[in-house]
Amino acid sequence: MSKKLANKVAIVTGASKGIGAGIAKQLGAAGASVVVNYASSKTDADKVVHEITNNGGAAIAVQGDVSKSKEVTRLFEETEKTFGGLDILVNNAGIYWTTPLGDFTEDAYRRMFDVNVLGTLLASQAAFKFFEGKGGSIINISSVAATRPENTLSVYGATKAAMNLLTWSLSQELGSKNIRVNSLIPSMILTEGIASLGLLPNTDNPYVNAMITRTALGQLAMAEDIGNAAVFLASDEARLVTGQEIDVTGGFK
């Protein structure tokens, strides 16, 4: 991969595993210095950092719950202390629970909205202070659940719909300051979490096979596919791309 993000600094929230880890690795491979944020899994975050640095990149792991303003402030302070600034924010941190209406709880609702929506706002607000005067790129990791939720995903889908709305609204508010805001829209992604559940393609798992069938290309995305799209949006190649919701789903329907 070309070093199209050389001399750039990126924060990826929720980057210790899954989509976030894939994004962090691809940003690092493209030349960015990467802050791998994690809420609880230091061991996994350190593995991501090790992979980036082993490939000649620069990265650190910083703990922080993005739903808590003090921890977000510390995350950005550590970034500035280590790398001197910020150019790219990827709002990936999120939690996912199935919530059938009969089992719906207020605590589950609040926790999902606190992390997925409030966390996006707090991190974007903190990034704005670094971007002001020079510009930057905010990339929100949404989901097809924002518009095409499966059964029991009403609350999760609502958080991602809110994220899409924030993408459009903030792109309009911040555009005059050369700050671009976009969303990436994955569906099911082949991550280690999926693998640990035995939910892999080329198996007899009916749910996975049904998801594959619903894609025009007949295959599911991997975390690095989302990472590659994030590299594009973070680069100067996307200098006129803002306020967009970009599916990276293989044509999911």
Side-chain angles (χ1 to χ4, degrees), residues 42 64 220 226 230 245 250:
K42 184 178 188 304
L220 298 178
I226 310 302
E245 300 170 17

Side-chain angles (χ1 to χ4, degrees), residues 142-149 156-164 185 245:
S142 183
S143 169
V144 294
T147 56
R148 289 156 281 174
Y156 176 74
T159 68
K160 293 303 184 177
M163 181 177 278
N164 288 349
I185 315 292
E245 300 170 17

Side-chain angles (χ1 to χ4, degrees), residues 73 123-134 179:
T73 297
S124 297
Q125 182 184 56
F128 172 72
K129 298 174 183 177
F130 286 84
F131 292 163
E132 194 167 19
K134 69 182 182 71
I179 298 171

